[in-house]
Amino acid sequence: MTHASATSRRRFLQQCTAAGAAFGFPTIIPSSALGKDGTVAPSNRTTLALIGCGGRGTDVVKNFLNDERVQVIAVCDVERESDRYNKGLIKKAGAFGREPAKRLVDKTYGTTGCAVHEDFREVLARADVDAVQIATPDHWHALQAVAAARAKKHIYCEKPLSLTIAQGRFMSDVVRQSGVVWQTGSQQRSDVHFRMAAEYVRNGKIGKLKQIRVGLASDNRDNNGCASQTEPTPVPAGLNYDLWLGPAPEAPFCPARLHSNWRWFYDYSGGNITDFGAHHLDIVQWALGMDESGPVEFLDLNAEWPAPGSLYTTAPKFDFAYRYADGTTVRVKDKQDFGAGISFEGELGSVLCTRGKLEIKPVELRKPLADGDVRLFESKDHFRNFIDAIQTGAKTAAPIEYAHRSITIAHLANIALRLRRQKLRWDPTKEQILDDAEAAAMQTRPMRGPWKLA
């Protein structure tokens, strides 16, 4: 465990009464406080706060709630509770927000002690928080991650890592300088099927690669049931909409804009190219041994865009290719003939990997790795691996630099598609778009005041 974390946990029981008074929540010390019932005593647990209590944030925090080495002590969201005040507008989202997240935590622990916050800066100011789980929309990741790293909080942050290439570079540099533990929510790096596929490719088991094909999820699906509700409406009570927008451009509130559908707005995300590209393009990088580098050229770029007047601004259908310096070419479509996944195709055979499936052809190639073959880092549980790294110094499965390099590919594809380019050249060493000033300017975006990344 890190010295900072050990010190924080030792202080936790001593400070709990004072912290409760300072932040306005009751202090409940569970019966396992001394660890006599076989559980890990709170003084030896990693204390964690959840920032972003939507669907993904709530799903992931359940893994930390089930880890006996973790104590979730606070939740934070700009929304109090979605289904209490939206009167059925959010049809599919369910009950999201800080109050439902608090109830989940308290029910799990059998206490009433989980603190609630509206502003993430309050969480980062707490001395009793060792680590944070960031599960906010993409446009918030950079500001929150940088602030958390500078506050010496360990960070589990959802993918896609960043909204822009420049943000990702800045985030990675700050995290490295701060020395905190980082895990990206690219859980396919802890999936045995994707690791085995990457190992087969890395060790040349299918021969020289002819091409790689990647299928991403298709279209801008209606995740919250409110895609048609695009007319501006009053901001519901209990939602700090200005803080939800944060660094993004000013925009009127409407139900279609929030609750997972934000993925289809270029102001907040990059559509399916970044959303699922953060997963599958990351595995391609892993398989090729390019975790800290990237391709040099984008080509064969095509996209269909939302109809004029649509609120959504990301491409529902697309295809593009990118090429590495050694000639290896990756072809990406919204959906391949095998659906969503990755097909590595070599001179001797192929490896197809999707979630829950690994298919190696021909069958003669299905052999265990030999002595001396490259073995990639093995994590069997993405969430426990994060806590292992905090408490024992173990490596994490998805370091921030790897995530930055992977999502850079998706950002570059979006830039080229939005500018209707036929080709785009990239220098992965200098991290610069070449010979295209307009495209290079899109490696960053302005932030709405007073927010800035510095």
Side-chain angles (χ1 to χ4, degrees):
M1 69 182 68
T2 65
H3 176 73
S5 292
T7 302
S8 179
R9 285 191 294 277
R10 283 196 300 269
R11 290 200 309 259
F12 176 66
L13 285 178
Q14 299 170 353
Q15 294 182 339
C16 59
T17 301
F23 290 96
F25 62 91
T27 300
I28 305 293
I29 301 178
S31 60
S32 60
L34 299 179
K36 294 181 179 179
D37 59 354
T39 63
V40 179
S43 56
N44 292 321
R45 295 179 195 168
T46 294
T47 55
L48 183 139
L50 168 60
I51 301 173
C53 305
R56 184 60 185 162
T58 303
D59 283 345
V60 169
V61 82
K62 293 174 184 176
N63 294 277
F64 294 122
L65 287 169
N66 290 327
D67 189 328
E68 69 284 355
R69 304 166 300 166
V70 178
Q71 187 80 22
V72 179
I73 64 170
V75 295
C76 175
D77 200 283
V78 298
E79 184 172 46
R80 187 176 67 235
E81 185 162 5
S82 61
D83 68 343
R84 286 282 178 91
Y85 54 78
N86 280 323
K87 299 180 180 179
L89 291 179
I90 307 301
K91 298 174 183 177
K92 298 181 181 179
F96 297 145
R98 56 186 181 269
E99 290 298 334
K102 171 183 167 56
R103 291 197 295 270
L104 171 66
V105 174
D106 286 343
K107 181 179 180 181
T108 301
Y109 292 144
T111 70
T112 59
C114 180
V116 292
H117 298 279
E118 180 181 85
D119 192 319
F120 72 96
R121 291 168 293 190
E122 297 173 1
V123 172
L124 300 183
R126 294 181 57 141
D128 58 345
V129 171
D130 294 331
V132 293
Q133 175 198 330
I134 298 175
T136 49
D138 304 351
H139 69 287
W140 264 114
H141 287 181
L143 285 165
Q144 291 170 338
V146 166
R150 287 175 171 162
K152 299 298 182 182
K153 312 300 184 187
H154 304 299
I155 305 162
Y156 183 104
C157 182
E158 278 304 319
K159 42 57 61 184
L161 176 73
S162 61
L163 187 69
T164 70
I165 295 169
Q167 284 183 7
R169 175 74 275 141
F170 192 80
M171 293 165 71
S172 186
D173 290 346
V174 170
V175 167
R176 183 187 69 253
Q177 293 159 8
S178 72
V180 300
V181 171
W182 176 282
Q183 180 82 297
T184 313
S186 302
Q187 70 271 17
Q188 288 181 177
R189 290 233 176 192
S190 294
D191 183 296
V192 63
H193 297 113
F194 288 100
R195 177 174 54 80
M196 288 178 63
E199 287 176 336
Y200 261 70
V201 173
R202 184 79 73 90
N203 288 291
K205 300 300 183 182
I206 60 173
K208 183 178 179 180
L209 283 169
K210 295 190 296 183
Q211 72 171 353
I212 302 167
R213 291 188 296 145
V214 176
L216 305 181
S218 62
D219 69 49
N220 295 349
R221 57 196 177 276
D222 184 7
N223 288 320
N224 69 14
C226 297
S228 63
Q229 299 179 40
T230 61
E231 292 300 315
T233 61
V235 177
L239 171 64
N240 187 335
Y241 181 60
D242 184 69
L243 190 55
W244 186 93
L245 284 173
E250 190 78 34
F253 171 81
C254 66
R257 195 176 293 275
L258 273 65
H259 292 286
S260 193
N261 280 359
W262 53 260
R263 287 174 169 84
W264 323 133
F265 294 81
Y266 194 63
D267 284 342
Y268 319 132
S269 186
N272 277 311
I273 291 175
T274 57
D275 190 48
F276 234 86
H279 286 303
H280 290 339
L281 304 184
D282 181 58
I283 299 301
V284 171
Q285 288 273 100
W286 199 19
L288 297 181
M290 300 297 286
D291 281 331
E292 297 189 27
S293 186
V296 298
E297 184 181 26
F298 288 74
L299 63 157
D300 298 341
L301 296 128
N302 301 282
E304 294 181 16
W305 299 96
S310 172
L311 202 63
Y312 295 156
T313 53
T314 62
K317 296 188 180 298
F318 49 83
D319 62 271
F320 60 90
Y322 60 92
R323 184 175 293 144
Y324 291 87
D326 66 359
T328 300
T329 300
V330 183
R331 297 196 171 275
V332 183
K333 292 186 68 174
D334 53 278
K335 185 175 288 187
Q336 298 279 8
D337 54 13
F338 51 79
I342 313 162
S343 177
F344 298 96
E345 298 162 6
E347 292 178 338
L348 302 179
S350 64
V351 176
L352 171 63
C353 191
T354 62
R355 291 192 173 180
K357 177 182 178 181
L358 177 65
E359 184 176 278
I360 301 170
K361 294 181 179 180
V363 294
E364 291 77 17
L365 295 180
R366 301 178 192 174
K367 298 177 182 178
L369 295 181
D371 291 342
D373 280 343
V374 173
R375 306 295 178 109
L376 299 177
F377 179 76
E378 181 179 359
S379 163
K380 296 180 179 179
D381 187 309
H382 207 63
F383 314 101
R384 293 188 71 89
N385 171 240
F386 174 57
I387 304 304
D388 289 342
I390 294 172
Q391 296 195 355
T392 71
K395 179 182 177 181
T396 56
I400 188 169
E401 181 66 20
Y402 298 2
H404 165 59
R405 294 294 186 150
S406 296
I407 202 59
T408 289
I409 299 172
H411 289 324
L412 288 167
N414 260 333
I415 289 170
L417 289 167
R418 297 184 79 81
L419 293 177
R420 273 68 169 179
R421 295 293 189 256
Q422 295 301 307
K423 288 190 177 182
L424 192 73
R425 295 176 59 226
W426 173 250
D427 183 334
T429 301
K430 295 181 179 178
E431 295 188 70
Q432 285 294 323
I433 292 172
L434 302 176
D435 306 320
D436 190 330
E438 185 181 17
M442 293 177 68
Q443 289 183 221
T444 188
R445 300 189 211 173
M447 287 186 172
R448 185 172 68 112
W451 303 101
K452 60 181 179 179
L453 199 60

